[in-house]
Amino acid sequence: MIHICTVILAAGQSQRFNGIKQLAKVNSTGKCLLQYCLEAYADMPDISLVLGANAEQIRQQCNISLPVIKNSNWQHGLSTSIVEGVNNLPEKCTHMLIGLADHISVSATHIQQLCDAAKQYPAHIIVSQYEGIEGVPAIFPRQFFKGLLALSGDNGAKKIIDQYPQQIRSVALQQGWLDIDTQTDLQNWLSSQKETRT
């Protein structure tokens, strides 16, 4: 029996975005990017959020009710958020699902498909795959936690994925990979939503 714990990474300063990316409004109801992305993980039983830059402002304006892990070392790169996430996992955790708070195209259906694959292949890393690229959201069994803890700088979970190609199972990300990294990305997303409604 596996127990998947989810850690969503949202600690960065978003320098390329020229603003607090997590608070960007991404639909007509005024929902912020972080809230929107978290909806894909809403059915996960154990989920926590790593915040760093602008943490208190994000918590207040996004009305975050999840357990929050504070990353005081966020300036030193993405790896520090992963390390904080691993260090705060409960003992019952057998697998860690890592997600990013700006992957706006990830759906609840895709997250469930990842979990189903982890149950079928509990000793494998379960990754999202799109156009030949493999990455997060991804689920890591406990035997890979040590490697995640050894990450440094801006190295993310992709480094571990690339190290173990024989122990990977991939799940197609049907919607494609869409990150909101810049104001242009945001405007393109908003335009696509208008086209969908019309």
Side-chain angles (χ1 to χ4, degrees):
M1 186 73 177
I2 72 172
H3 188 95
I4 301 172
C5 294
T6 303
V7 177
I8 308 299
L9 310 181
Q13 192 176 24
S14 313
Q15 289 183 322
R16 292 171 58 196
F17 187 76
N18 192 28
I20 303 177
K21 178 170 65 174
Q22 298 92 329
L23 299 178
K25 306 303 181 186
V26 294
N27 64 13
S28 58
T29 67
K31 187 170 292 182
C32 73
L33 174 62
L34 179 56
Q35 288 172 313
Y36 190 97
C37 292
L38 286 176
E39 289 180 354
Y41 301 87
D43 292 334
M44 298 303 294
D46 284 287
I47 177 170
S48 56
L49 175 68
V50 182
L51 293 178
N54 309 299
E56 291 310 312
Q57 190 173 350
I58 292 168
R59 289 182 74 163
Q60 293 172 9
Q61 294 191 31
C62 279
N63 192 27
I64 300 299
S65 58
L66 294 174
V68 171
I69 300 168
K70 183 68 180 293
N71 178 10
S72 300
N73 297 312
W74 60 267
Q75 301 98 323
H76 298 293
L78 179 61
S79 65
T80 62
S81 290
I82 295 174
V83 170
E84 288 290 344
V86 176
N87 282 333
N88 281 274
L89 293 173
E91 289 187 11
K92 63 183 176 181
C93 178
T94 64
H95 292 66
M96 178 185 184
L97 168 56
I98 297 177
L100 298 180
D102 60 357
H103 276 185
I104 201 165
S105 59
V106 172
S107 67
T109 298
H110 181 70
I111 298 304
Q112 186 57 57
Q113 290 172 339
L114 291 175
C115 293
D116 291 343
K119 293 172 185 175
Q120 186 175 2
Y121 303 103
H124 287 73
I125 302 172
I126 310 300
V127 303
S128 300
Q129 189 267 353
Y130 181 69
E131 294 186 347
I133 300 173
E134 296 172 328
V136 297
I139 299 176
F140 295 83
R142 179 175 286 277
Q143 63 262 36
F144 296 99
F145 290 1
K146 185 176 180 180
L148 292 171
L149 286 170
L151 292 171
S152 61
D154 268 328
N155 288 311
K158 184 75 164 62
K159 182 175 182 179
I160 304 300
I161 292 169
D162 292 342
Q163 284 177 353
Y164 299 97
Q166 302 304 317
Q167 291 176 267
I168 300 297
R169 296 283 178 171
S170 62
V171 175
L173 184 57
Q174 302 294 340
Q175 299 90 341
W177 252 306
L178 177 57
D179 302 346
I180 304 295
D181 287 328
T182 66
Q183 290 288 339
T184 300
D185 293 338
L186 176 61
Q187 294 308 314
N188 290 340
W189 166 262
L190 292 172
S191 296
S192 72
Q193 296 307 292
K194 289 178 182 178
E195 292 174 3
T196 300
R197 293 196 298 271
T198 56

